Amino acid sequence: MNSLIDGVDVPPAGIVMCPNGVVRAPDKAETSMYETTIIGIDLAKHVFQLHGSTRDGRVTFRRKLSRSQLLSFLQKQSPCVVAMEACATAHYWGREIAKLGHQVRLIAPIYVKPFVKRQKNDAADAEAICEASSRPTMRFVKVKSTDQQMRSMLFRTRELLVGQRTQTINALRAHLAEFGVVGASG
């Protein structure tokens, strides 16, 4: 049902009236990027896949961007939810994206997997991240601060060195045992 505004017949929301009077639904290219409420990002080393959608799940864009283009692209977007899988680099990107005014959500990869609708590729992963982040009961990972990441890195490095020391001692004992030299453990 059309409505009248200032004496002009206006089509209902979501319908585009062409100059020749034909009514049609808007195509994907006409969906404004300013309607984007969720952006899902599949992180990689060099090229990131982005998937934008509206609150009701309509796709607003699908983009492939390099590392250098990501922040400038997100800076042009109006503040929205930006979701990524929680991985090694996600905390860095989360801090940088939050500085631009977006709300960052990190999701454990195990929670994203059920939302992949077709073959696994970067575009499908970005769409699945977007879909998973829109769920009201989804659990999110808190973005770590730089200090938290440094402490975690220090702990993992120490754990690695202790493991390597144990491997070296065990290898040395095994090599010495080949020549008949057997020592007590510890």
Side-chain angles (χ1 to χ4, degrees):
M1 178 180 298
N2 294 352
S3 61
L4 290 174
I5 297 178
D6 294 332
V8 178
D9 198 25
V10 178
I15 302 298
V16 176
M17 184 69 86
C18 295
N20 61 4
V22 176
V23 177
R24 64 180 173 81
D27 57 6
K28 289 181 183 177
E30 293 175 356
T31 304
S32 170
M33 288 185 20
Y34 294 106
E35 296 175 15
T36 303
T37 57
I38 301 174
I39 299 174
I41 303 177
D42 184 52
L43 298 173
K45 289 183 182 177
H46 302 291
V47 179
F48 302 144
Q49 185 71 41
L50 279 72
H51 180 92
S53 67
T54 60
R55 188 172 308 284
D56 62 358
R58 284 184 299 129
V59 177
T60 54
F61 64 86
R62 289 185 177 101
R63 288 262 168 87
K64 192 180 278 193
L65 299 173
S66 67
R67 292 177 71 87
S68 60
Q69 297 171 322
L70 181 64
L71 291 177
S72 62
F73 174 80
L74 291 174
Q75 189 173 20
K76 294 174 187 171
Q77 301 298 312
S78 58
C80 62
V81 173
V82 177
M84 300 171 278
E85 280 185 329
C87 64
T89 61
H91 296 283
Y92 163 76
W93 286 111
R95 289 190 302 269
E96 294 298 314
I97 293 168
K99 289 177 189 175
L100 301 175
H102 297 289
Q103 179 186 359
V104 177
R105 293 183 179 171
L106 301 183
I107 307 170
I110 195 166
Y111 294 139
V112 174
K113 190 174 182 180
F115 294 96
V116 178
K117 296 178 182 139
R118 53 190 185 278
Q119 70 273 17
K120 182 164 175 28
N121 58 42
D122 293 344
D125 287 350
E127 184 176 352
I129 292 166
C130 206
E131 176 73 24
S133 69
S134 68
R135 300 295 180 184
T137 58
M138 183 56 61
R139 296 181 191 152
F140 299 105
V141 176
K142 187 177 178 198
V143 177
K144 291 181 183 177
S145 69
T146 307
D147 290 340
Q148 289 172 318
Q149 268 191 295
M150 287 190 325
R151 274 181 287 193
S152 177
M153 192 182 334
L154 182 64
F155 178 76
R156 285 193 314 265
T157 303
R158 183 183 182 286
E159 193 173 277
L160 177 67
L161 290 173
V162 168
Q164 287 176 339
R165 180 187 68 185
T166 303
Q167 288 176 343
T168 304
I169 291 169
N170 289 341
L172 182 60
R173 289 182 69 236
H175 294 314
L176 289 173
E178 291 177 15
F179 291 101
V181 178
V182 178
S185 295

